[in-house]
Amino acid sequence: MKKLFTNLTFWVLTAIILGVLLGHYNPEFALKPILEKGVKLNLFISEFEIKTTFSEFLSSIFISTVKLFINPIIFLTITLGIISMGDLKKVGKVGAKALIYFEIVTTVALIIGILVANILRPGDGVVTQDIKGGDISKYTQSAEQFSWVKFFWDNVTLQVLVVAIVLGVALSNYSGRQAVVNFLSPISKKVFWALHKVMLLAPIGAFGGMAFTIAKYGIKTLLPLAKLMGTVYTTMALFIFVVLYFILRYYKISLWGFLKYIREELLIVLGTSSSEAALPSLMEKLEEMGCSKSVVGLVVPAGYSFNLDGTTIYLSMAVIFLAQVFNVHLDIQQILTIIGILMVTSKGAAGVTGSGFIVLASTLTAIKVIPVEGLALLLGVDRFMSEARAITNFIGNGVATVWISNNENEFDRNKMNYAFKHIEATENIITDNIKN
Protein backbone atom coordinates (compact mmCIF):
# COMPACT_ATOMS: atom_id res chain seq x y z
CA MET A 1 0.00 0.00 0.00
CA LYS A 2 2.89 2.36 0.75
CA LYS A 3 4.19 1.81 -2.81
CA LEU A 4 0.80 2.82 -4.19
CA PHE A 5 0.65 6.12 -2.31
CA THR A 6 4.17 7.09 -3.37
CA ASN A 7 3.44 6.42 -7.06
CA LEU A 8 3.10 9.61 -9.13
CA THR A 9 0.85 7.94 -11.73
CA PHE A 10 -1.70 7.11 -9.02
CA TRP A 11 -1.81 10.70 -7.76
CA VAL A 12 -2.02 12.28 -11.24
CA LEU A 13 -4.88 9.96 -12.23
CA THR A 14 -6.66 10.68 -8.94
CA ALA A 15 -6.19 14.43 -9.50
CA ILE A 16 -7.68 14.21 -13.01
CA ILE A 17 -10.76 12.40 -11.68
CA LEU A 18 -11.19 14.92 -8.83
CA GLY A 19 -10.75 17.80 -11.31
CA VAL A 20 -13.52 16.42 -13.54
CA LEU A 21 -15.84 16.01 -10.54
CA LEU A 22 -15.16 19.52 -9.23
CA GLY A 23 -15.59 21.12 -12.64
CA HIS A 24 -18.86 19.29 -13.27
CA TYR A 25 -20.54 19.53 -9.85
CA ASN A 26 -19.14 22.82 -8.56
CA PRO A 27 -18.10 24.97 -11.56
CA GLU A 28 -18.61 28.17 -9.58
CA PHE A 29 -15.82 27.27 -7.20
CA ALA A 30 -13.54 26.03 -9.98
CA LEU A 31 -13.98 29.34 -11.83
CA LYS A 32 -13.86 31.47 -8.69
CA PRO A 33 -11.85 34.67 -9.36
CA ILE A 34 -8.70 35.10 -7.30
CA LEU A 35 -7.68 38.42 -8.86
CA GLU A 36 -9.63 41.17 -10.57
CA LYS A 37 -7.05 41.30 -13.36
CA GLY A 38 -4.43 38.89 -14.62
CA VAL A 39 -0.86 39.56 -13.54
CA LYS A 40 2.21 38.60 -15.58
CA LEU A 41 5.55 38.00 -13.91
CA ASN A 42 8.73 37.54 -15.93
CA LEU A 43 11.28 35.13 -14.48
CA PHE A 44 14.41 34.55 -16.56
CA ILE A 45 13.20 33.22 -19.92
CA SER A 46 9.76 32.04 -18.79
CA GLU A 47 6.64 34.02 -18.02
CA PHE A 48 4.23 33.25 -15.22
CA GLU A 49 0.71 34.41 -16.00
CA ILE A 50 -1.42 34.44 -12.88
CA LYS A 51 -4.94 33.76 -14.13
CA THR A 52 -8.11 35.15 -12.66
CA THR A 53 -9.60 31.75 -11.80
CA PHE A 54 -8.63 29.35 -9.05
CA SER A 55 -8.38 26.20 -11.21
CA GLU A 56 -6.52 27.71 -14.15
CA PHE A 57 -4.06 29.34 -11.77
CA LEU A 58 -3.07 25.90 -10.44
CA SER A 59 -2.56 24.56 -13.96
CA SER A 60 -0.75 27.57 -15.41
CA ILE A 61 1.66 27.97 -12.49
CA PHE A 62 2.71 24.32 -12.81
CA ILE A 63 3.17 24.51 -16.60
CA SER A 64 5.07 27.79 -16.33
CA THR A 65 7.39 26.29 -13.70
CA VAL A 66 8.16 23.26 -15.89
CA LYS A 67 8.79 25.59 -18.86
CA LEU A 68 11.70 27.04 -16.89
CA PHE A 69 13.48 23.69 -17.29
CA ILE A 70 12.82 23.08 -21.00
CA ASN A 71 15.41 25.39 -22.54
CA PRO A 72 18.22 24.75 -19.99
CA ILE A 73 17.75 20.99 -20.43
CA ILE A 74 17.74 21.28 -24.24
CA PHE A 75 20.86 23.45 -24.15
CA LEU A 76 22.77 21.16 -21.77
CA THR A 77 21.66 17.94 -23.46
CA ILE A 78 22.53 19.05 -26.99
CA THR A 79 25.81 20.75 -26.09
CA LEU A 80 27.06 17.80 -24.02
CA GLY A 81 25.79 15.33 -26.61
CA ILE A 82 27.57 16.96 -29.55
CA ILE A 83 30.82 17.42 -27.61
CA SER A 84 30.70 13.77 -26.57
CA MET A 85 29.79 12.61 -30.07
CA GLY A 86 32.84 14.28 -31.59
CA ASP A 87 31.89 13.35 -35.17
CA LEU A 88 30.33 16.50 -36.68
CA LYS A 89 29.25 14.66 -39.83
CA LYS A 90 27.14 12.43 -37.63
CA VAL A 91 25.43 15.46 -36.09
CA GLY A 92 24.45 16.70 -39.53
CA LYS A 93 23.34 13.22 -40.56
CA VAL A 94 21.08 12.81 -37.51
CA GLY A 95 19.56 16.27 -38.05
CA ALA A 96 18.87 15.64 -41.74
CA LYS A 97 17.43 12.19 -41.04
CA ALA A 98 15.16 13.63 -38.34
CA LEU A 99 13.74 16.29 -40.70
CA ILE A 100 13.08 13.70 -43.42
CA TYR A 101 11.37 11.43 -40.87
CA PHE A 102 9.24 14.33 -39.60
CA GLU A 103 8.07 15.27 -43.10
CA ILE A 104 7.18 11.70 -44.08
CA VAL A 105 5.31 10.82 -40.88
CA THR A 106 3.39 14.12 -40.61
CA THR A 107 2.37 13.78 -44.27
CA VAL A 108 1.03 10.29 -43.51
CA ALA A 109 -0.88 11.78 -40.54
CA LEU A 110 -2.25 14.51 -42.80
CA ILE A 111 -3.50 12.04 -45.41
CA ILE A 112 -5.06 9.79 -42.75
CA GLY A 113 -6.94 12.78 -41.30
CA ILE A 114 -8.35 13.78 -44.68
CA LEU A 115 -9.34 10.20 -45.60
CA VAL A 116 -11.13 9.49 -42.31
CA ALA A 117 -12.93 12.86 -42.36
CA ASN A 118 -14.19 12.14 -45.88
CA ILE A 119 -15.32 8.64 -44.93
CA LEU A 120 -17.07 9.44 -41.61
CA ARG A 121 -18.18 12.97 -42.66
CA PRO A 122 -18.52 14.52 -39.17
CA GLY A 123 -19.67 17.88 -40.61
CA ASP A 124 -22.88 16.57 -42.23
CA GLY A 125 -25.99 17.77 -40.43
CA VAL A 126 -24.29 20.38 -38.22
CA VAL A 127 -26.55 23.43 -37.97
CA THR A 128 -24.33 26.50 -37.77
CA GLN A 129 -26.80 28.88 -36.14
CA ASP A 130 -27.31 26.52 -33.18
CA ILE A 131 -23.69 26.79 -32.11
CA LYS A 132 -22.36 29.90 -30.45
CA GLY A 133 -18.80 30.74 -31.34
CA GLY A 134 -16.35 33.24 -29.94
CA ASP A 135 -14.28 36.04 -31.35
CA ILE A 136 -12.18 34.71 -34.22
CA SER A 137 -10.72 38.05 -35.31
CA LYS A 138 -7.54 37.57 -33.27
CA TYR A 139 -6.85 34.30 -35.06
CA THR A 140 -7.48 35.64 -38.57
CA GLN A 141 -5.36 38.73 -37.88
CA SER A 142 -2.51 36.62 -36.53
CA ALA A 143 -2.76 34.34 -39.56
CA GLU A 144 -2.34 37.32 -41.90
CA GLN A 145 0.76 38.43 -39.96
CA PHE A 146 2.37 34.97 -39.88
CA SER A 147 5.87 34.65 -41.28
CA TRP A 148 8.69 32.15 -40.88
CA VAL A 149 10.97 34.87 -39.54
CA LYS A 150 8.41 35.69 -36.85
CA PHE A 151 7.95 31.98 -36.20
CA PHE A 152 11.66 31.56 -35.47
CA TRP A 153 11.83 34.82 -33.51
CA ASP A 154 8.92 33.82 -31.24
CA ASN A 155 10.10 30.23 -30.78
CA VAL A 156 12.68 30.37 -27.99
CA THR A 157 13.09 26.59 -28.06
CA LEU A 158 14.29 26.68 -31.67
CA GLN A 159 16.67 29.53 -30.86
CA VAL A 160 18.15 27.58 -27.96
CA LEU A 161 18.43 24.53 -30.22
CA VAL A 162 20.42 26.48 -32.84
CA VAL A 163 22.69 28.13 -30.24
CA ALA A 164 23.38 24.77 -28.54
CA ILE A 165 24.24 23.11 -31.86
CA VAL A 166 26.59 25.92 -32.87
CA LEU A 167 28.26 25.96 -29.44
CA GLY A 168 28.52 22.17 -29.34
CA VAL A 169 30.13 22.09 -32.80
CA ALA A 170 32.58 24.84 -31.81
CA LEU A 171 33.55 23.16 -28.54
CA SER A 172 33.92 19.72 -30.12
CA ASN A 173 37.10 21.01 -31.81
CA TYR A 174 38.34 22.69 -28.65
CA SER A 175 41.36 21.02 -27.05
CA GLY A 176 40.00 21.60 -23.55
CA ARG A 177 36.55 20.19 -24.28
CA GLN A 178 36.81 17.65 -21.46
CA ALA A 179 37.00 20.51 -18.98
CA VAL A 180 33.79 21.90 -20.48
CA VAL A 181 32.12 18.49 -20.11
CA ASN A 182 33.28 18.27 -16.48
CA PHE A 183 31.82 21.72 -15.85
CA LEU A 184 28.43 21.19 -17.56
CA SER A 185 27.73 17.61 -16.43
CA PRO A 186 27.19 18.45 -12.71
CA ILE A 187 24.97 21.38 -13.74
CA SER A 188 22.89 19.03 -15.91
CA LYS A 189 22.45 16.62 -12.99
CA LYS A 190 21.34 19.45 -10.69
CA VAL A 191 18.80 20.68 -13.24
CA PHE A 192 17.27 17.21 -13.59
CA TRP A 193 17.26 16.81 -9.79
CA ALA A 194 15.29 20.06 -9.47
CA LEU A 195 12.93 18.92 -12.24
CA HIS A 196 12.14 15.74 -10.31
CA LYS A 197 11.11 17.84 -7.32
CA VAL A 198 8.88 20.07 -9.45
CA MET A 199 7.20 17.05 -11.07
CA LEU A 200 5.90 16.06 -7.65
CA LEU A 201 3.48 18.98 -8.12
CA ALA A 202 2.08 17.43 -11.33
CA PRO A 203 -1.15 16.24 -9.65
CA ILE A 204 -1.94 19.84 -8.67
CA GLY A 205 -1.44 21.03 -12.24
CA ALA A 206 -3.51 18.18 -13.67
CA PHE A 207 -6.30 18.82 -11.15
CA GLY A 208 -6.47 22.52 -11.98
CA GLY A 209 -6.33 22.02 -15.75
CA MET A 210 -9.11 19.45 -15.83
CA ALA A 211 -11.33 21.34 -13.37
CA PHE A 212 -11.01 24.53 -15.44
CA THR A 213 -11.83 22.79 -18.73
CA ILE A 214 -14.93 21.00 -17.45
CA ALA A 215 -16.18 24.01 -15.45
CA LYS A 216 -15.76 26.55 -18.24
CA TYR A 217 -16.99 24.56 -21.21
CA GLY A 218 -19.12 21.84 -19.65
CA ILE A 219 -20.06 18.44 -20.98
CA LYS A 220 -23.05 19.93 -22.85
CA THR A 221 -20.66 21.85 -25.11
CA LEU A 222 -19.58 18.56 -26.64
CA LEU A 223 -23.01 17.40 -27.80
CA PRO A 224 -23.43 19.47 -31.02
CA LEU A 225 -19.96 18.49 -32.20
CA ALA A 226 -19.76 15.05 -30.60
CA LYS A 227 -19.33 13.36 -33.99
CA LEU A 228 -16.34 15.56 -34.83
CA MET A 229 -14.72 14.86 -31.46
CA GLY A 230 -15.33 11.14 -31.80
CA THR A 231 -13.88 11.16 -35.31
CA VAL A 232 -10.77 13.09 -34.22
CA TYR A 233 -10.10 10.83 -31.23
CA THR A 234 -10.67 7.70 -33.34
CA THR A 235 -8.30 8.92 -36.04
CA MET A 236 -5.55 9.77 -33.57
CA ALA A 237 -5.93 6.37 -31.91
CA LEU A 238 -5.69 4.78 -35.36
CA PHE A 239 -2.51 6.74 -36.08
CA ILE A 240 -0.90 5.77 -32.75
CA PHE A 241 -1.84 2.09 -32.72
CA VAL A 242 -1.29 1.43 -36.42
CA VAL A 243 1.25 3.85 -37.90
CA LEU A 244 3.42 4.35 -34.80
CA TYR A 245 3.02 0.67 -33.91
CA PHE A 246 4.59 -0.43 -37.20
CA ILE A 247 7.32 2.21 -36.95
CA LEU A 248 8.47 0.72 -33.63
CA ARG A 249 7.75 -2.82 -34.80
CA TYR A 250 10.41 -2.30 -37.49
CA TYR A 251 13.00 -2.48 -34.71
CA LYS A 252 11.02 -5.06 -32.68
CA ILE A 253 10.06 -2.62 -29.94
CA SER A 254 6.69 -2.86 -28.21
CA LEU A 255 4.52 0.25 -28.57
CA TRP A 256 2.45 -0.84 -25.59
CA GLY A 257 5.58 -1.29 -23.51
CA PHE A 258 6.73 2.20 -24.50
CA LEU A 259 3.36 3.74 -23.63
CA LYS A 260 3.39 2.07 -20.21
CA TYR A 261 6.92 3.36 -19.69
CA ILE A 262 5.86 7.00 -20.27
CA ARG A 263 2.41 6.69 -18.68
CA GLU A 264 3.10 9.29 -15.97
CA GLU A 265 4.03 11.84 -18.61
CA LEU A 266 0.95 10.95 -20.70
CA LEU A 267 -1.33 11.57 -17.72
CA ILE A 268 0.34 14.92 -17.08
CA VAL A 269 -0.19 15.90 -20.73
CA LEU A 270 -3.82 14.75 -20.48
CA GLY A 271 -4.48 16.74 -17.31
CA THR A 272 -2.77 19.96 -18.41
CA SER A 273 -3.49 19.79 -22.19
CA SER A 274 0.15 20.72 -22.71
CA SER A 275 2.97 18.56 -24.06
CA GLU A 276 5.42 21.14 -22.68
CA ALA A 277 4.52 20.06 -19.15
CA ALA A 278 6.18 16.68 -19.65
CA LEU A 279 8.79 17.46 -22.33
CA PRO A 280 11.86 17.61 -20.03
CA SER A 281 10.79 14.41 -18.28
CA LEU A 282 10.36 12.67 -21.66
CA MET A 283 13.92 13.57 -22.64
CA GLU A 284 15.27 12.06 -19.45
CA LYS A 285 13.21 8.89 -19.80
CA LEU A 286 14.29 8.39 -23.41
CA GLU A 287 17.92 8.50 -22.29
CA GLU A 288 17.20 6.04 -19.47
CA MET A 289 15.45 3.81 -22.01
CA GLY A 290 18.62 3.57 -24.11
CA CYS A 291 18.55 6.49 -26.57
CA SER A 292 21.83 8.39 -26.76
CA LYS A 293 21.98 11.87 -25.21
CA SER A 294 22.93 13.51 -28.52
CA VAL A 295 20.01 12.00 -30.48
CA VAL A 296 17.53 12.87 -27.73
CA GLY A 297 18.85 16.43 -27.60
CA LEU A 298 18.52 16.93 -31.36
CA VAL A 299 15.30 15.06 -32.15
CA VAL A 300 12.97 15.95 -29.24
CA PRO A 301 13.25 19.77 -29.39
CA ALA A 302 13.21 19.77 -33.20
CA GLY A 303 10.22 17.43 -33.17
CA TYR A 304 8.40 19.75 -30.78
CA SER A 305 8.32 22.30 -33.61
CA PHE A 306 8.26 20.14 -36.75
CA ASN A 307 6.82 16.73 -35.83
CA LEU A 308 3.30 17.62 -34.70
CA ASP A 309 1.39 14.49 -35.72
CA GLY A 310 -1.68 15.21 -33.59
CA THR A 311 -1.92 18.84 -34.67
CA THR A 312 -1.55 17.83 -38.33
CA ILE A 313 -4.38 15.29 -38.06
CA TYR A 314 -6.61 17.84 -36.34
CA LEU A 315 -5.92 20.57 -38.90
CA SER A 316 -6.65 18.32 -41.86
CA MET A 317 -9.87 17.02 -40.32
CA ALA A 318 -10.99 20.51 -39.28
CA VAL A 319 -10.67 21.80 -42.85
CA ILE A 320 -12.70 18.89 -44.28
CA PHE A 321 -15.22 19.21 -41.42
CA LEU A 322 -15.85 22.89 -42.17
CA ALA A 323 -16.18 22.15 -45.88
CA GLN A 324 -18.90 19.60 -45.05
CA VAL A 325 -20.66 22.01 -42.67
CA PHE A 326 -20.90 24.70 -45.37
CA ASN A 327 -21.64 22.17 -48.16
CA VAL A 328 -18.47 23.08 -50.03
CA HIS A 329 -17.50 20.30 -52.42
CA LEU A 330 -13.74 19.88 -52.63
CA ASP A 331 -12.40 18.24 -55.76
CA ILE A 332 -9.18 16.21 -55.91
CA GLN A 333 -7.11 19.22 -56.96
CA GLN A 334 -8.37 21.29 -54.02
CA ILE A 335 -7.71 18.44 -51.57
CA LEU A 336 -4.16 18.10 -52.92
CA THR A 337 -3.76 21.86 -52.50
CA ILE A 338 -4.90 21.57 -48.87
CA ILE A 339 -2.38 18.78 -48.27
CA GLY A 340 0.38 20.90 -49.80
CA ILE A 341 -0.50 23.99 -47.77
CA LEU A 342 -0.81 22.07 -44.48
CA MET A 343 2.50 20.31 -45.09
CA VAL A 344 4.07 23.77 -44.74
CA THR A 345 1.77 25.70 -42.37
CA SER A 346 1.39 22.89 -39.81
CA LYS A 347 5.13 23.07 -39.11
CA GLY A 348 4.63 26.51 -37.57
CA ALA A 349 1.87 25.52 -35.16
CA ALA A 350 4.04 25.13 -32.05
CA GLY A 351 5.71 28.51 -32.29
CA VAL A 352 2.64 30.70 -32.60
CA THR A 353 0.27 31.86 -29.88
CA GLY A 354 -3.12 30.31 -30.66
CA SER A 355 -1.30 27.53 -32.55
CA GLY A 356 -3.86 25.42 -34.38
CA PHE A 357 -6.42 28.16 -34.91
CA ILE A 358 -3.96 30.57 -36.49
CA VAL A 359 -2.57 27.89 -38.80
CA LEU A 360 -6.13 26.79 -39.62
CA ALA A 361 -7.12 30.40 -40.38
CA SER A 362 -4.12 30.84 -42.68
CA THR A 363 -5.00 27.59 -44.48
CA LEU A 364 -8.64 28.59 -45.01
CA THR A 365 -7.52 32.00 -46.24
CA ALA A 366 -5.12 30.40 -48.70
CA ILE A 367 -7.60 27.98 -50.31
CA LYS A 368 -10.38 30.66 -50.42
CA VAL A 369 -13.32 28.26 -50.72
CA ILE A 370 -14.32 27.68 -47.07
CA PRO A 371 -15.60 30.59 -44.90
CA VAL A 372 -13.03 31.56 -42.25
CA GLU A 373 -15.98 32.40 -39.97
CA GLY A 374 -16.43 28.65 -39.55
CA LEU A 375 -13.64 28.74 -36.97
CA ALA A 376 -16.25 29.93 -34.47
CA LEU A 377 -17.79 26.45 -34.59
CA LEU A 378 -14.62 24.89 -33.24
CA LEU A 379 -13.83 27.28 -30.37
CA GLY A 380 -16.10 25.58 -27.84
CA VAL A 381 -14.67 22.09 -28.26
CA ASP A 382 -11.07 22.97 -29.07
CA ARG A 383 -9.96 22.60 -25.46
CA PHE A 384 -11.39 19.07 -25.31
CA MET A 385 -9.57 18.09 -28.49
CA SER A 386 -6.31 19.71 -27.41
CA GLU A 387 -5.67 16.76 -25.06
CA ALA A 388 -5.76 14.35 -28.01
CA ARG A 389 -3.51 16.62 -30.07
CA ALA A 390 -0.98 17.05 -27.27
CA ILE A 391 -0.85 13.34 -26.41
CA THR A 392 -0.45 12.32 -30.08
CA ASN A 393 2.29 14.92 -30.60
CA PHE A 394 4.00 13.73 -27.43
CA ILE A 395 3.93 10.02 -28.32
CA GLY A 396 4.96 10.80 -31.90
CA ASN A 397 8.10 12.63 -30.77
CA GLY A 398 9.03 9.82 -28.40
CA VAL A 399 8.62 7.22 -31.16
CA ALA A 400 10.64 9.36 -33.58
CA THR A 401 13.53 9.57 -31.11
CA VAL A 402 13.51 5.81 -30.47
CA TRP A 403 13.38 5.03 -34.21
CA ILE A 404 16.20 7.41 -35.16
CA SER A 405 18.34 6.19 -32.24
CA ASN A 406 17.96 2.64 -33.50
CA ASN A 407 18.61 3.67 -37.09
CA GLU A 408 21.84 5.39 -36.02
CA ASN A 409 22.92 2.46 -33.83
CA GLU A 410 22.71 4.83 -30.86
CA PHE A 411 20.31 2.69 -28.83
CA ASP A 412 21.06 0.44 -25.86
CA ARG A 413 18.50 -2.38 -25.91
CA ASN A 414 19.63 -3.69 -22.52
CA LYS A 415 18.65 -0.36 -20.94
CA MET A 416 15.24 -0.58 -22.65
CA ASN A 417 14.61 -4.11 -21.37
CA TYR A 418 15.57 -3.06 -17.84
CA ALA A 419 13.32 0.04 -17.99
CA PHE A 420 10.33 -1.93 -19.29
CA LYS A 421 10.77 -4.72 -16.71
CA HIS A 422 11.03 -2.15 -13.91
CA ILE A 423 7.70 -0.64 -14.99
CA GLU A 424 6.05 -4.07 -15.07
CA ALA A 425 7.38 -4.87 -11.58
CA THR A 426 6.00 -1.57 -10.26
CA GLU A 427 2.63 -2.29 -11.89
CA ASN A 428 2.43 -5.70 -10.22
CA ILE A 429 3.19 -4.22 -6.80
CA ILE A 430 0.52 -1.53 -7.23
CA THR A 431 -2.05 -4.09 -8.44
CA ASP A 432 -1.34 -6.32 -5.44
CA ASN A 433 -1.71 -3.36 -3.06
CA ILE A 434 -5.09 -2.44 -4.58
CA LYS A 435 -6.36 -6.01 -4.32
CA ASN A 436 -5.25 -6.26 -0.70
Side-chain angles (χ1 to χ4, degrees):
M1 188 62 68
K2 182 180 179 182
K3 190 76 173 178
L4 176 66
F5 289 120
T6 57
N7 185 269
L8 184 61
T9 303
F10 169 78
W11 287 113
V12 173
L13 185 58
T14 301
I16 289 174
I17 295 171
L18 292 175
V20 171
L21 293 175
L22 175 64
H24 182 67
Y25 291 106
N26 196 348
E28 293 81 10
F29 180 77
L31 297 177
K32 183 179 179 181
I34 58 174
L35 292 172
E36 291 298 322
K37 294 182 179 179
V39 177
K40 292 184 178 181
L41 300 174
N42 287 315
L43 183 59
F44 299 110
I45 55 176
S46 186
E47 183 178 70
F48 288 89
E49 184 173 359
I50 300 179
K51 302 291 185 178
T52 56
T53 62
F54 161 72
S55 56
E56 195 173 15
F57 168 75
L58 294 177
S59 178
S60 62
I61 202 71
F62 170 71
I63 295 174
S64 297
T65 304
V66 174
K67 280 183 179 181
L68 284 173
F69 291 87
I70 292 177
N71 293 318
I73 285 176
I74 288 173
F75 175 80
L76 291 166
T77 302
I78 293 177
T79 305
L80 285 169
I82 292 178
I83 295 174
S84 302
M85 187 182 291
D87 186 358
L88 299 184
K89 289 183 179 179
K90 193 166 188 178
V91 176
K93 183 183 176 184
V94 171
K97 191 173 290 185
L99 292 177
I100 293 171
Y101 174 97
F102 296 159
E103 192 59 51
I104 292 173
V105 175
T106 52
T107 301
V108 170
L110 182 59
I111 294 171
I112 289 175
I114 289 177
L115 287 175
V116 175
N118 275 295
I119 293 171
L120 299 183
R121 302 191 64 81
D124 289 350
V126 175
V127 182
T128 57
Q129 60 264 31
D130 290 344
I131 304 173
K132 296 180 181 180
D135 180 21
I136 64 168
S137 60
K138 59 181 179 180
Y139 301 113
T140 54
Q141 289 170 3
S142 297
E144 293 169 0
Q145 298 168 358
F146 176 79
S147 71
W148 284 102
V149 174
K150 187 176 186 299
F151 163 62
F152 180 79
W153 186 257
D154 291 342
N155 195 322
V156 179
T157 302
L158 267 185
Q159 295 171 26
V160 172
L161 174 64
V162 172
V163 170
I165 291 174
V166 172
L167 185 61
V169 169
L171 290 175
S172 64
N173 292 320
Y174 174 52
S175 59
R177 61 178 179 270
Q178 189 57 46
V180 177
V181 172
N182 294 338
F183 174 73
L184 293 179
S185 293
I187 297 176
S188 178
K189 290 179 180 178
K190 290 292 184 183
V191 170
F192 276 112
W193 175 85
L195 174 64
H196 289 161
K197 300 302 179 184
V198 171
M199 293 307 291
L200 295 176
L201 302 176
I204 297 175
F207 169 78
M210 196 57 71
F212 173 78
T213 300
I214 299 298
K216 183 173 182 179
Y217 299 103
I219 303 298
K220 292 181 180 178
T221 312
L222 308 181
L223 297 180
L225 299 177
K227 189 176 180 181
L228 172 63
M229 282 198 60
T231 304
V232 169
Y233 272 77
T234 300
T235 307
M236 293 194 185
L238 181 69
F239 177 79
I240 292 170
F241 292 105
V242 176
V243 177
L244 298 185
Y245 167 81
F246 280 108
I247 288 175
L248 285 184
R249 182 68 181 270
Y250 183 81
Y251 286 110
K252 298 180 180 179
I253 296 174
S254 167
L255 173 66
W256 188 246
F258 177 67
L259 294 180
K260 287 197 293 184
Y261 178 61
I262 60 168
R263 63 186 181 187
E264 288 180 359
E265 288 72 24
L266 291 176
L267 287 173
I268 292 169
V269 173
L270 173 66
T272 60
S273 297
S274 170
S275 57
E276 289 180 322
L279 194 66
S281 183
L282 174 67
M283 294 177 70
E284 184 181 27
K285 276 202 167 181
L286 287 170
E287 284 186 47
E288 292 175 352
M289 180 184 164
C291 300
S292 70
K293 182 184 287 288
S294 55
V295 173
V296 171
L298 283 169
V299 176
V300 174
Y304 175 69
S305 295
F306 297 107
N307 187 39
L308 305 173
D309 301 324
T311 302
T312 303
I313 290 172
Y314 169 73
L315 291 173
S316 61
M317 299 191 78
V319 171
I320 302 301
F321 167 79
L322 292 176
Q324 293 166 358
V325 167
F326 291 104
N327 294 314
V328 176
H329 174 71
L330 298 173
D331 56 33
I332 296 297
Q333 185 176 352
Q334 288 172 319
I335 291 177
L336 290 176
T337 301
I338 291 171
I339 291 175
I341 292 171
L342 285 176
M343 282 174 66
V344 178
T345 56
S346 62
K347 301 300 182 294
V352 185
T353 304
S355 63
F357 269 103
I358 293 174
V359 174
L360 190 55
S362 65
T363 305
L364 296 179
T365 303
I367 59 178
K368 298 178 180 177
V369 292
I370 303 171
V372 180
E373 292 74 22
L375 286 176
L377 293 172
L378 302 172
L379 289 175
V381 295
D382 182 69
R383 177 81 184 201
F384 291 97
M385 288 190 285
S386 66
E387 284 95 348
R389 290 200 303 266
I391 287 176
T392 306
N393 290 339
F394 190 77
I395 295 172
N397 280 324
V399 170
T401 308
V402 173
W403 192 91
I404 292 172
S405 294
N406 276 274
N407 192 260
E408 285 293 306
N409 294 318
E410 294 282 343
F411 188 78
D412 188 335
R413 194 166 288 269
N414 290 330
K415 282 188 175 181
M416 181 193 73
N417 292 333
Y418 176 80
F420 284 7
K421 286 180 181 178
H422 180 70
I423 288 294
E424 289 179 3
T426 304
E427 268 189 344
N428 293 333
I429 292 172
I430 292 174
T431 302
D432 292 340
N433 284 334
I434 293 174
K435 288 181 179 178
N436 295 329

